[in-house]
Amino acid sequence: MSQDVWNFIFIGITFGIYIGIALWAKAGSTKEYYTAGGGVSALANGMATGADWMSAATFISMAGIVAASGYDASRFLMGWTGGFVLLTTLMVPYLRKFGKATVPDFVGDRFYSKTARLVAVFCAIFICMTYIMGQMRGVGIVFSRLFNIEIATGVIIGASIVFFYAGLGGMKGITYTQVAQYCVMVFAYTIPVIFISLALTGNVIPQMGLIGDFTKGGGEAVPLLQKMNDLSVELGVTKYTDGSLSTTDMFCITAALMAGTAGLPHVIVRFFTVKSVKAVRKSACWTLFFIAIIYLTAPALGLFARTNLVDEINNKTYTEAPSWFKNWENQGMIAWVDKNNDGIIQYGKGKAFNGKPVMEAETRGDHGQRLVKNELTTDLNEVYYDRDIIVLANPEMAGLPKWLIALVMAGCVAAALSTAAGLLLVLSTSISHDLMKKIVNPNITDKQEMAYARMASFGALVIASYFGINPPSSFVAKTVAFAFGLAASSFFPTLLMGIFSKRVNKEGAVTGMICGITFTFAYIVYFQFIADHTNYLFGISPEGIGFVGMFINFIVTFVISAFTPAPPQEVQDMVEHIRIPSGAGEATH
Amino acid sequence: MSDNKDSAAEHYKGSLKIVGSILIIWAFISFGCAILFRTWMDANMPKIGNAPFGFWMAQQGSIIGFVLLLLAYTFLMNKLDEKHGFGEDS
């Protein structure tokens, strides 16, 4: 059977499962729509949160980042898992006890003000919107590669599927589809790596392979990391186990990603679906466990893929290059420019050429390679590869069977759809519940509220799809810095102070949120889009600036609160109430 | 009523201690071992397999540590809840 047939079968089966679950779990009330009725088991919620959390970017790009930057990539590995420790110990048990359905709900009640709620709604919409655009783009790219269709068509197919089960099924539909999606993802991610680990190191467990010996080809066993470091020195690039980022920058980025994780509304609301505070804790353990399976595999995959890549192509003539090299070259994801005209592929320091490759359509080079129109650099490196292929081309590099490649494709789609669905829910509830019901017109009925939620999710998808099809230049690629930085500088400090301080009042919280998010937003926009230099403040890159924004929020909030009246007694009582874990009841609205 | 209030205050104090301890370890294994003291760790700590200690902590050890920390947190908090009579929910 050809690869296309396998892809169709796998994607078809998984879509069938998702739609089947959506029909079975159609939400009948706003309670089911917002929090799945509050009766999801800790284990199921853990899996669903894992799927919600791991986006297309994590699934496709993370191993590629590890492969390309070695130690430096640890900031993502630690940032996106360590954040769950903050989330679990400082946030979700208290917010679950509070018992409302959305994050702006807590902000609005705790800071007894419509302004605070409005600012929170705005932050939530902004964070989720930037994030969801990247997901729609991801779905589009995978579909277009799978079925040779336009990216636009791929985005529209993806959007329709998401609307079908997220827009109609609400949280209930999303939760149970995400459980299925997690299962698809975890198999798609780990199985190929196990095979590669066996081939390279003889170890069944990839994590052992990472710290094990390279034994491929029956030669003398050498430590794999040592081999990679030696190769790096030979090629003139930074050693794999050394970093090139400054300690300050590494620290700030990791901290911003952690705080951002603990402040992302689509992750927080997932914990409103379980029964009690005790179940929240248990569910958080499961969540991190399920996430850790993939995050512990990524570093192994990254190292294996980098070794394979260097080993199989460096100093080989183009004619003897492996077939996956030529396949992905045909897709425009790999390019080779023969700078010294020797017919041999040299991989080394620097870039082969500037920017993404722009390929000549018909003419081929002397050795049959595709030619690029890009301006070449003077660096010795002759190879360009898109880091996304580390996961996508991985099964081919290892010579794995076709059905496994199809499984990886289905995993990519699952990753993108599950995250998009979770974000869509927060977007639609922020609009229907916090904006329409709580601010504009408190008299609407349950049915009307749900109709607003469905309309809002349709509207949000249309906008997200539009930007998925026409990404505003480099915007989508930078969404990670945006979403995490903004969450770290707005929701995280505000929620934290709302829970652990009784003295922080509405004046402080509102000013703090606005100052934190404005500073972070301005800094990111300035260095990503306006400035053409990188003289960062204290050497902190835009990725890590959310950490500074967080402190600005803290300081502003405390100072303003100290000079303005304390919150009313009932709010202080409420804070005491949420600190007691028992009697959480069902999440209401 | 005052009994209940006292026990709530005690419970809150106890929970802050647990959260504090968990977060100190959390910061040490991630920011400490893997970032700030990593060069020292690489040079002076035993290798994990073939990986230098700091590097291994950054890519594997800290993540495993986070999972264990959450298990410890859940265990300690559940115990604290029961001690103060807040453990009736399942």
Side-chain angles (χ1 to χ4, degrees):
Chain A
M1 265 197 292
S2 79
Q3 186 64 52
D4 285 348
V5 178
W6 276 115
N7 290 344
F8 266 114
I9 293 174
F10 270 71
I11 302 274
I13 291 175
T14 50
F15 273 22
I17 296 172
Y18 306 154
I19 291 173
I21 294 173
L23 289 174
W24 166 74
K26 191 170 177 295
S29 66
T30 49
K31 204 168 78 189
E32 285 187 339
Y33 195 91
Y34 293 157
T35 62
V40 178
S41 80
L43 177 76
N45 187 55
M47 277 195 194
T49 315
D52 204 328
W53 179 233
M54 282 173 294
S55 60
T58 314
F59 192 91
I60 302 172
S61 311
M62 200 170 56
I65 298 172
V66 179
S69 60
Y71 169 79
D72 283 345
S74 312
R75 63 188 192 276
F76 298 111
L77 299 168
M78 288 191 286
W80 287 335
T81 50
F84 276 88
V85 178
L86 289 177
L87 184 80
T88 313
T89 55
L90 301 173
M91 297 279 172
V92 284
Y94 305 98
L95 296 177
R96 174 64 188 86
K97 174 65 194 294
F98 175 67
K100 294 292 175 70
T102 69
V103 175
D105 235 358
F106 175 77
V107 177
D109 284 9
R110 167 62 185 84
F111 299 107
Y112 49 95
S113 120
K114 277 192 178 170
T115 323
R117 188 188 292 269
L118 201 64
V119 174
V121 168
F122 178 76
C123 291
I125 293 176
F126 201 78
I127 292 168
C128 293
M129 208 64 204
T130 44
Y131 215 135
I132 202 173
M133 286 174 202
Q135 303 306 319
M136 295 321 300
R137 180 89 189 154
V139 177
I141 290 173
V142 173
F143 278 158
S144 77
R145 246 179 247 156
L146 277 178
F147 306 124
N148 287 323
I149 50 178
E150 291 289 308
I151 287 184
T153 324
V155 169
I156 290 165
I157 295 175
S160 325
I161 303 268
V162 172
F163 178 72
F164 190 76
Y165 73 80
L168 298 180
M171 192 54 137
K172 204 171 164 201
I174 291 175
T175 303
Y176 293 107
T177 359
Q178 281 173 337
V179 171
Q181 283 161 337
Y182 177 81
C183 298
V184 174
M185 282 162 71
V186 78
F187 284 115
Y189 206 84
T190 52
I191 292 176
V193 190
I194 291 172
F195 282 107
I196 297 168
S197 180
L198 268 173
L200 281 185
T201 68
N203 250 312
V204 188
I205 303 166
Q207 288 78 6
M208 297 301 289
L210 173 71
I211 56 172
D213 292 331
F214 179 82
T215 54
K216 193 183 176 187
E220 201 186 326
V222 276
L224 184 58
L225 281 164
Q226 185 62 43
K227 181 185 158 73
M228 194 64 238
N229 274 345
D230 292 347
L231 274 174
S232 307
V233 173
E234 212 176 285
L235 300 173
V237 296
T238 322
K239 272 193 188 174
Y240 192 78
T241 54
D242 289 350
S244 53
L245 284 178
S246 76
T247 307
T248 326
D249 205 18
M250 186 83 185
F251 188 98
C252 290
I253 296 174
T254 310
L257 292 176
M258 284 182 177
T261 302
L264 279 180
H266 74 285
V267 183
I268 294 175
V269 294
R270 286 240 42 104
F271 290 92
F272 296 164
T273 62
V274 296
K275 212 164 51 180
S276 64
V277 173
K278 222 172 171 178
V280 167
R281 296 180 193 138
K282 199 168 149 195
S283 178
C285 289
W286 280 120
T287 303
L288 190 57
F289 173 76
F290 289 129
I291 293 174
I293 294 176
I294 289 187
Y295 275 69
L296 287 173
T297 309
L301 172 57
L303 179 63
F304 298 156
R306 175 82 173 267
T307 314
N308 261 336
L309 194 74
V310 177
D311 218 43
E312 292 205 8
I313 61 169
N314 189 35
N315 281 330
K316 297 269 161 70
T317 58
Y318 179 80
T319 22
E320 64 176 3
S323 64
W324 57 261
F325 188 86
K326 286 159 193 166
N327 287 343
W328 289 92
E329 185 187 20
N330 288 334
Q331 298 262 0
M333 304 284 278
I334 284 182
W336 171 60
V337 280
D338 196 7
K339 286 182 182 168
N340 51 8
N341 288 317
D342 59 358
I344 298 171
I345 303 169
Q346 267 102 17
Y347 175 66
K349 193 179 182 171
K351 291 176 185 169
F353 43 78
N354 292 318
K356 296 229 167 204
V358 184
M359 300 280 193
E360 298 273 2
E362 295 296 327
T363 44
R364 293 267 175 166
D366 299 341
H367 307 280
Q369 82 272 29
R370 293 190 73 178
L371 297 173
V372 296
K373 295 177 186 164
N374 304 53
E375 190 188 333
L376 302 185
T377 62
T378 51
D379 297 331
L380 292 178
N381 186 15
E382 299 182 334
V383 181
Y384 164 90
Y385 71 94
D386 189 313
R387 65 187 183 191
D388 288 353
I389 66 167
I390 293 294
V391 167
L392 297 175
N394 200 10
E396 280 173 75
M397 285 187 196
L400 299 182
K402 285 177 182 149
W403 63 268
L404 213 50
I405 300 173
L407 181 64
V408 171
M409 294 298 174
C412 290
V413 177
L417 290 183
S418 58
T419 307
L423 290 162
L424 192 65
L425 187 87
V426 172
L427 276 170
S428 64
T429 52
S430 292
I431 292 170
S432 70
H433 182 72
D434 295 299
L435 201 65
M436 296 310 295
K437 171 101 180 169
K438 292 288 173 123
I439 296 177
V440 178
N441 180 9
N443 297 324
I444 55 174
T445 64
D446 205 56
K447 263 222 164 91
Q448 283 172 309
E449 195 180 331
M450 211 147 73
Y452 277 122
R454 290 192 170 125
M455 278 193 291
S457 60
F458 184 75
L461 261 184
V462 170
I463 299 171
S465 306
Y466 174 80
F467 284 111
I469 295 166
N470 311 300
S473 66
S474 62
F475 185 71
V476 171
K478 310 286 187 192
T479 52
V480 169
F482 263 106
F484 284 86
L486 298 180
S489 61
S490 61
F491 281 130
F492 178 69
T494 304
L495 294 175
L496 195 66
M497 288 182 290
I499 295 166
F500 290 96
S501 161
K502 281 194 267 183
R503 183 61 185 80
V504 165
N505 59 17
K506 66 173 174 194
E507 289 85 356
V510 170
T511 336
M513 261 198 291
I514 293 174
C515 288
I517 208 168
T518 313
F519 167 79
T520 310
F521 182 75
Y523 191 89
I524 296 175
V525 168
Y526 179 73
F527 279 107
Q528 302 278 32
F529 302 110
I530 301 169
D532 50 0
H533 61 87
T534 52
N535 297 323
Y536 299 139
L537 191 68
F538 312 121
I540 301 169
S541 57
E543 269 180 286
I545 202 64
F547 184 59
V548 179
M550 181 178 97
F551 278 102
I552 292 179
N553 187 338
F554 273 126
I555 294 165
V556 170
T557 309
F558 275 123
V559 170
I560 303 269
S561 294
F563 289 106
T564 40
Q569 191 55 42
E570 64 264 25
V571 171
Q572 300 196 23
D573 289 347
M574 181 198 107
V575 175
E576 271 189 11
H577 176 72
I578 61 168
R579 291 172 181 174
I580 302 170
S582 61
E586 283 183 348
T588 57
H589 47 95
Chain B
M1 188 62 206
S2 83
D3 249 18
N4 197 2
K5 243 196 163 161
D6 282 353
S7 120
E10 283 290 305
H11 175 274
Y12 180 60
K13 249 192 191 158
S15 69
L16 286 187
K17 259 187 214 152
I18 296 174
V19 171
S21 325
I22 297 279
L23 290 185
I24 288 171
I25 305 174
W26 164 81
F28 177 73
I29 59 173
S30 51
F31 295 108
C33 294
I35 300 178
L36 295 177
F37 315 123
R38 114 156 242 266
T39 333
W40 188 89
M41 295 270 171
D42 280 357
N44 295 302
M45 295 292 282
K47 281 191 160 190
I48 308 288
N50 296 319
F53 189 80
F55 175 79
W56 186 81
M57 279 308 282
Q59 302 220 321
Q60 304 267 294
S62 55
I63 301 175
I64 298 170
F66 296 148
V67 177
L68 296 177
L69 278 177
L70 281 196
L71 286 173
Y73 168 80
T74 307
F75 176 75
L76 292 172
M77 285 301 278
N78 286 347
K79 233 173 78 180
L80 185 79
D81 288 358
E82 265 158 43
K83 193 177 145 199
H84 293 282
F86 297 133
E88 76 274 24
D89 297 7
S90 55

